[in-house]
Amino acid sequence: AQSVTQLGSHVSVSEGALVLLRCNYSSSVPPYLFWYVQYPNQGLQLLLKYTSAATLVKGINGFEAEFKKSETSFHLTKPSAHMSDAAEYFCAVSERYSNTGKLIFGQGTTLQVKP
Amino acid sequence: EAGVAQSPRYKIIEKRQSVAFWCNPISGHATLYWYQQILGQGPKLLIQFQNNGVVDDSQLPKDRFSAERLKGVDSTLKIQPAKLEDSAVYLCASSLGRLAETQYFGPGTRLLVL
């Protein structure tokens, strides 16, 4: 069965530092890949998604992610962290040939940004 | 454009009681999802509707959970009877279609079962 692994349940960076949140998927057929962000007491909001073609995907708020088939990874990065980036981040996959489009989420990574 | 609406936002009940959650998706979105998010975990899909038909309910505990989407718009999720392990945030999401579509999430209902 498809699974998603987010390495590191908590990541702490200083304001202005690089943000790197890791995500690996398990399937041999590259799935559709998503990153969602969840602020306290709010629902999830899409940051970016990979469906095909360009392997480097740009999203909102300065985030981007690179799909690497050889590493079965879709890591999320941002060159310079801002205090407002502190939130929970979820990587999710959807099987490419599924008839439901069902999302399978990782366990999440809490990003802390220190002043 | 209005987002996904959910109510109530918070609910506290005792075990063995029943509870119901309501969701109003974004207008025009054919696909509606209910997720359960237990503290410290990612959301887990409970049930997915396409218009008013069920597409996937493989992870719905059908002995106690039920859901409906009458007229293909609003949806309700019910738990009867509730157990302690049902304490979680219940998220509703909607999307235009199914494959590779962006899902738009509501704020969730936080349920505490005592």
Side-chain angles (χ1 to χ4, degrees):
Chain A
Q2 176 71 265
S3 67
V4 181
T5 302
Q6 292 184 239
L7 198 60
S9 58
H10 287 84
V11 170
S12 182
V13 301
S14 298
E15 191 173 19
L18 172 71
V19 175
L20 171 59
L21 304 182
R22 300 177 187 273
C23 173
N24 288 88
Y25 61 91
S26 64
S27 66
S28 55
V29 176
Y32 299 120
L33 294 151
F34 304 77
W35 275 99
Y36 279 85
V37 62
Q38 186 175 33
Y39 298 101
N41 298 315
Q42 294 185 29
L44 282 72
Q45 179 185 7
L46 181 72
L47 280 175
L48 48 81
K49 65 180 178 181
Y50 167 77
T51 55
S52 63
T55 56
L56 183 63
V57 181
K58 295 189 184 299
I60 62 171
N61 301 337
F63 285 93
E64 62 182 36
E66 186 173 10
F67 167 67
K68 291 187 176 180
K69 183 179 178 180
S70 61
E71 299 177 7
T72 62
S73 68
F74 190 56
H75 301 332
L76 182 71
T77 60
K78 182 174 180 177
S80 177
H82 192 273
M83 296 297 290
S84 61
D85 294 328
E88 184 90 16
Y89 291 80
F90 292 95
C91 181
V93 302
S94 174
E95 291 186 1
R96 192 167 286 271
Y97 302 109
S98 161
N99 67 339
T100 67
K102 166 180 170 179
L103 285 180
I104 298 168
F105 285 87
Q107 76 277 20
T109 297
T110 301
L111 176 65
Q112 179 187 25
V113 182
K114 298 177 291 185
Chain B
E1 178 182 84
V4 177
Q6 290 188 248
S7 67
R9 291 296 309 276
Y10 305 92
K11 191 74 178 179
I12 301 175
I13 62 172
E14 296 190 349
K15 60 183 179 183
R16 291 188 289 273
Q17 285 187 325
S18 63
V19 64
F21 312 127
W22 173 81
C23 173
N24 182 236
I26 293 173
S27 178
H29 281 195
T31 312
L32 184 146
Y33 315 79
W34 282 102
Y35 289 88
Q36 180 191 58
Q37 186 178 18
I38 293 172
L39 188 64
Q41 298 181 20
K44 181 185 80 172
L45 181 70
L46 291 176
I47 188 167
Q48 177 181 342
F49 293 93
Q50 182 74 17
N51 297 309
N52 60 349
V54 175
V55 174
D56 187 333
D57 63 357
S58 57
Q59 297 191 89
L60 186 74
K62 298 180 186 65
D63 57 334
R64 298 183 302 105
F65 286 64
S66 65
E68 61 182 10
R69 190 184 184 197
L70 299 176
K71 301 179 182 178
V73 181
D74 293 6
S75 178
T76 56
L77 176 70
K78 297 179 182 178
I79 308 176
Q80 182 179 13
K83 292 185 175 182
L84 297 178
E85 58 261 36
D86 298 332
S87 294
V89 176
Y90 291 85
L91 295 165
C92 179
S94 70
S95 63
L96 279 171
R98 292 189 286 186
L99 296 182
E101 291 281 351
T102 299
Q103 295 184 22
Y104 296 86
F105 285 78
T109 296
R110 187 174 299 272
L111 174 67
L112 178 61
V113 182
L114 302 176

